[in-house]
Amino acid sequence: MSKPAPTVTPNTWAFLRDPMIAPTGFREYDARWKYPDDINLPGITALGLGLGTQMHWRGIRPEIAVGNDYRDYSLSIKNALMLGLMQAGIRVRDIGPALSPMAYFSQFHLDAPAVAMVTASHNPNGWTGIKMGFERPLTHGPEEMRELRDIVLNGEGVARAGGGYEFVDGVREAYLDDLVGDFKMTRKLKVVCATGNGTASAFAPDLFRRLGVEVVDSHTELDYTFPHYNPNPEAMEMLHDMAAAVQASGADFALGFDGDGDRCGVVDDTGEEIFADKMGVILARDLAKAHPGATFVADVKSTGLFASDPELRKHGAKADYWKTGHSHMKRRVKELGALAGFEKSGHYFLAEPIGRGYDCGMRVAVEICKLMDRNPDLKMSDLRKALPTTYATPTMSPHCPDLEKYEALERIVGRLVAMRDAGDQIAGRAITEIVTVNGARVILDNGGWGLVRASSNTPNLVVVCESPQSEAEMRAIFADIDAVIRTEQSVGDYDQTI
């Protein structure tokens, strides 16, 4: 295999013939490119050859389950990927259009030692990518991604005999059967099902009806142009639309899913958004009763309540704050034998005996419905109001180029550490600790905090702040953190702000 070229020039002879791959697409825990700006179809085939070669290097049985999301170009991407995998001597088991968690499920269902899912997740149209993994329920982390990048970019992919192709039907039905089991609601529940016209449209409404839930459809027709908004339940645009649907229909709550169905967002009966970390605390409270002493992993963007909530402490729950990112979190949950992991972005990792440890928005939806069934006299807003009050920003992402964001972050972290060492304050409070496992989570003397980290998937930084005291203090924390961020000229505008 020849080395792929790093630049892509559409409408040229070479573009149709030679692999071209922008190196920046190999990220911490998956691969994402703008297509066809940063990768061409021969480049995707080279990626498949590299992934197959990596399987041989690591002694993985040469068989892989492969799926694709509903975007109009994802099938072309998948076909090019499968061509490279077969060229590497891998037997491909094509599960057809899928959610990412359906692809993860297929590893168990088909006893496949590897998985590759073609999806840009919640990124807008124009993006493509691959989520892949060998050791179920895990997906590639930084070490595996570096190895794969080097195989592909150094032209080290090796063609072998033995490749083959099989289309496997019925995985969607088996996935839904597995999610529902023999459970049926005993209380009446009316739920807004919001899928933003993404792939989850082919799953979530059916799932709710199987559970015995009355469904209020919200943009549940499959449409890969995403005519209303990009399906991303962390974006306020989608959450506000879900809130309006709840208020118009009188539903008990709304559940929204991202483009590949591995994340879930929640709006309660009053139209109030419950950010996923707070929903995680609500679920953890319920789970801790049945599993006292359980460990819960939360990502560094998440609320401090996992550590401080009196209800969780009462049941001996232990909190572990870890790196943001679905691969990091899955691995940490498995390493610690945690019962569950929660990310502010809406990834939930429910381990045995609830789930299989991978992130699945549909599994979360089922568990939320079961939670409401176990509490027939409570509304979703009652569960939200029962939590200690904190004031948190949404996840905010100022633009910063991929090639500059890590160096910029390093300097920002250095300035924040220097502020702590100098006894400087944030929002008029002393800095008691800075957690640097993933960027900098600056913790104040009253438990308030502000986070800045680099996005693993897109050209931007990520900022989240929380105060246990007031909205004014939360805004002050953000203002002081942002003032440090603004010392970097490469950092641009936010995608959304408070």
Side-chain angles (χ1 to χ4, degrees), residues 274-299 302-321 329 338-343 347-351 354 364 367-368 370-372 374-375 380 383-384 387-388:
I274 307 180
F275 291 128
D277 54 345
K278 294 287 184 71
M279 192 66 222
V281 177
I282 291 170
L283 278 169
R285 280 181 156 197
D286 186 65
L287 294 171
K289 287 177 196 166
H291 304 273
T295 295
F296 297 106
V297 180
D299 80 317
S302 288
T303 176
L305 287 175
F306 287 104
S308 65
D309 177 51
E311 277 295 307
L312 288 178
R313 285 183 159 187
K314 186 171 87 178
H315 295 290
K318 294 180 282 292
D320 179 79
Y321 284 90
M329 291 287 291
L339 183 62
F342 304 99
E343 262 193 287
H347 290 272
Y348 300 72
F349 310 85
L350 301 171
I354 307 145
V364 174
E367 295 309 316
I368 288 173
K370 287 180 178 177
L371 165 68
M372 299 309 291
R374 284 193 292 272
N375 295 277
M380 184 65 81
L383 296 173
R384 171 179 59 80
L387 295 179

Side-chain angles (χ1 to χ4, degrees), residues 172-413:
R172 175 187 176 274
E173 288 67 31
Y175 169 60
L176 289 171
D177 288 345
D178 182 71
L179 286 165
V180 176
D182 57 4
F183 177 75
K184 204 78 170 170
M185 295 294 299
T186 60
R187 73 178 275 186
K188 282 191 172 180
L189 211 55
K190 184 177 182 179
V191 177
V192 171
C193 174
T195 56
N197 307 103
T199 317
S201 305
F203 294 83
D206 284 0
L207 175 67
F208 287 130
R209 292 187 176 104
R210 284 197 194 194
L211 293 171
V213 169
E214 183 185 346
V215 176
V216 178
D217 289 290
S218 176
H219 311 313
T220 57
E221 309 79 25
L222 285 162
D223 187 341
Y224 48 62
T225 66
F226 303 149
H228 303 284
Y229 48 73
N230 186 45
N232 177 5
E234 199 178 13
M236 299 311 292
E237 184 181 18
M238 183 169 183
L239 289 167
H240 288 164
D241 190 62
M242 288 161 61
V246 166
Q247 286 163 336
S249 65
D252 292 294
F253 53 90
L255 297 177
F257 306 94
D258 70 338
D260 67 332
D262 57 9
R263 299 193 299 138
C264 180
V266 183
V267 170
D268 73 15
D269 49 288
T270 70
E272 183 89 11
E273 301 96 359
I274 307 180
F275 291 128
D277 54 345
K278 294 287 184 71
M279 192 66 222
V281 177
I282 291 170
L283 278 169
R285 280 181 156 197
D286 186 65
L287 294 171
K289 287 177 196 166
H291 304 273
T295 295
F296 297 106
V297 180
D299 80 317
V300 291
K301 292 195 297 181
S302 288
T303 176
L305 287 175
F306 287 104
S308 65
D309 177 51
E311 277 295 307
L312 288 178
R313 285 183 159 187
K314 186 171 87 178
H315 295 290
K318 294 180 282 292
D320 179 79
Y321 284 90
W322 195 241
K323 298 174 186 176
T324 292
H326 66 92
S327 284
H328 295 308
M329 291 287 291
K330 270 181 275 228
R331 202 164 295 258
R332 188 69 168 175
V333 167
K334 187 175 184 187
E335 276 174 7
L336 297 182
L339 183 62
F342 304 99
E343 262 193 287
K344 189 179 171 73
S345 61
H347 290 272
Y348 300 72
F349 310 85
L350 301 171
E352 297 285 357
I354 307 145
R356 290 191 178 84
Y358 55 76
D359 37 341
C360 177
M362 302 300 122
R363 167 58 62 198
V364 174
V366 170
E367 295 309 316
I368 288 173
C369 290
K370 287 180 178 177
L371 165 68
M372 299 309 291
D373 206 55
R374 284 193 292 272
N375 295 277
D377 301 326
L378 295 178
K379 298 176 181 176
M380 184 65 81
S381 57
D382 296 328
L383 296 173
R384 171 179 59 80
K385 289 169 187 171
L387 295 179
T389 302
T390 66
Y391 305 84
T393 68
T395 301
M396 303 173 288
S397 302
H399 184 267
C400 191
D402 277 326
L403 293 175
E404 300 176 44
K405 64 188 181 186
Y406 289 106
E407 288 182 7
L409 176 68
E410 199 175 322
R411 290 189 292 268
I412 290 166
V413 172

Side-chain angles (χ1 to χ4, degrees), residues 421-445:
D421 294 346
D424 294 341
Q425 295 185 326
I426 296 274
R429 292 195 172 274
I431 301 169
T432 57
E433 185 185 359
I434 298 185
V435 177
T436 56
V437 70
N438 188 203
R441 181 173 169 125
V442 181
I443 301 171
L444 307 180
D445 59 13

